[in-house]
Amino acid sequence: MLKLLHSQQHTLLARPMASMALRSTHTAAQKIPKDLLRELQATRPTPMRDEFLGSNKLTSEDLEKMDIGQGKHHVPETMGDRFAYRLVKTLRLLPDTYFGGDHYMRAVMLETIAAVPGMVGGMLRHMRSLRNLSEDNGWIIHLLHEAENERMHLMTWMKCLQPSVWNRLLILGAQGVFFNSYFWLYVFSPKTAHRMCGYLEEEAVVSYTHFLDAIDSGALPNGPAPPIAIDYYNLHPTASIRDVVLAVRADEALHRDANHHLSDRIAANREDIIADMKALEHQELKVKSPVH
């Protein structure tokens, strides 16, 4: 009898509390500034490669045909290049030893690190633009987009596994060390920082190729792709994990080429990307409309 009374009291108390929580949530939603609400409703993460921005849903065949320059490598030319290359090769030994064939957890760790350089570089260039009272000339928006793209990779793989407490602590420590190290490297040598990121992405392409090999050999099951990846990459509704790996690897190839290019621009003292872009557009216009 006492248990029944206690249960009834608990139910009577729970109903008004749930009602209050619902009203509180509704009130909070009503207080969202209209422009903030409009921005959030209209904004969504956007892929970086042209292939993912079309109107047609991409199939496995489409993804296989994408030219990613597999095996592409920038040969180190300067002392800074050699330092960046050797550092990346040394750092690769850690995940190779610890994760082995655990490709999902390896991908999660990789993306928690890979999303750092773009944010650090974008932040530092943003601050420099403010200090110098000058335009950024095209760098910030690309670097922040790169960081977002890598974060979307992480959000995708998190739909496929739940890291252990130990691995979460490992991620926390690795990110803290890498963020601070890359921050100071970018402060003192942006050229070397971008070269290092280019080599990191070369290794990412290799890692995702191994991921594909594991699926193709049957060592890993090829299950359905997470909805977040299907939506982000504009994949066919029947897309598989293998399709997602192909798409992510294509992104890493883009970051590889972009960061090596940015490092080359710094070395050539040609950091004004917008000026070169406008010159290229002007040249293309002249070709299309020759003067008679």
Side-chain angles (χ1 to χ4, degrees):
M1 186 66 178
L2 288 174
K3 287 183 178 180
L4 180 60
L5 289 172
H6 179 74
S7 176
Q8 289 176 340
Q9 289 175 344
H10 179 74
T11 303
L12 290 172
L13 287 171
R15 286 175 180 172
M17 289 177 65
S19 179
M20 289 174 60
L22 184 61
R23 286 198 300 269
S24 176
T25 302
H26 183 65
T27 303
Q30 286 181 322
K31 290 182 179 179
I32 299 177
K34 65 175 184 178
D35 289 320
L36 172 59
L37 185 62
R38 174 193 51 76
E39 181 189 15
L40 293 174
Q41 291 172 335
T43 304
R44 62 184 298 274
T46 306
M48 300 187 72
R49 295 187 67 108
D50 283 342
E51 295 92 336
F52 300 129
L53 298 173
S55 57
N56 296 327
K57 301 293 183 182
L58 297 180
T59 64
S60 299
E61 185 179 359
D62 296 326
L63 294 166
E64 290 280 6
K65 289 179 179 178
M66 291 176 64
D67 182 14
I68 65 167
Q70 190 172 347
K72 192 174 181 180
H73 170 61
H74 177 88
V75 178
E77 298 174 354
T78 66
M79 185 171 68
D81 290 356
R82 287 188 286 273
F83 167 77
Y85 179 66
R86 291 301 174 190
L87 178 60
V88 169
K89 282 294 187 181
T90 301
L91 290 175
R92 185 185 173 93
L93 295 174
L94 298 175
D96 282 350
T97 303
Y98 181 75
F99 294 115
D102 188 353
H103 293 282
Y104 283 105
M105 191 58 225
R106 184 193 189 97
V108 167
M109 175 61 79
L110 168 67
E111 301 302 348
T112 62
I113 297 300
V116 170
M119 184 59 66
V120 170
M123 175 186 68
L124 288 174
R125 287 186 173 274
H126 172 77
M127 298 308 294
R128 188 175 75 173
S129 176
L130 299 181
R131 287 194 307 273
N132 295 343
L133 310 177
S134 62
E135 293 285 349
D136 159 71
N137 298 319
W139 290 65
I140 295 173
I141 190 168
H142 169 79
L143 293 174
L144 295 183
H145 197 178
E146 175 188 301
E148 179 193 63
N149 178 252
E150 299 284 17
R151 185 181 63 82
M152 288 302 296
H153 296 170
L154 176 62
M155 295 301 102
T156 294
W157 297 128
M158 284 301 295
K159 300 299 181 183
C160 301
L161 82 163
Q162 284 299 322
S164 65
V165 173
W166 167 249
N167 281 333
R168 287 177 180 272
L169 290 174
L170 189 63
I171 288 169
L172 181 65
Q175 189 184 80
V177 171
F178 185 77
F179 178 91
N180 286 284
S181 301
Y182 192 82
F183 176 91
W184 288 111
L185 178 61
Y186 206 101
V187 167
F188 289 109
S189 180
K191 173 184 174 295
T192 304
H194 281 292
R195 186 69 73 206
M196 175 186 173
C197 194
Y199 287 132
L200 280 172
E201 300 299 353
E202 287 185 13
E203 296 302 323
V205 172
V206 172
S207 294
Y208 279 114
T209 299
H210 292 166
F211 199 157
L212 285 173
D213 293 341
I215 294 174
D216 292 341
S217 68
L220 286 177
N222 186 24
I228 186 175
I230 292 176
D231 179 60
Y232 182 67
Y233 284 115
N234 193 32
L235 302 179
H236 192 273
T238 60
S240 65
I241 287 293
R242 189 179 189 279
D243 295 329
V244 177
V245 176
L246 286 169
V248 172
R249 186 179 66 166
D251 278 343
E252 305 297 5
L254 181 152
H255 300 319
R256 172 200 64 200
D257 297 342
N259 277 282
H260 282 317
H261 174 74
L262 294 177
S263 182
D264 290 342
R265 293 191 75 93
I266 295 172
N269 196 28
R270 292 187 64 87
E271 295 190 45
D272 193 340
I273 301 175
I274 300 298
D276 284 358
M277 183 181 71
K278 289 180 178 179
L280 181 61
E281 290 174 349
H282 180 68
Q283 184 178 0
E284 290 176 348
L285 187 61
K286 286 177 67 177
V287 171
K288 291 179 181 179
S289 305
V291 178
H292 297 287

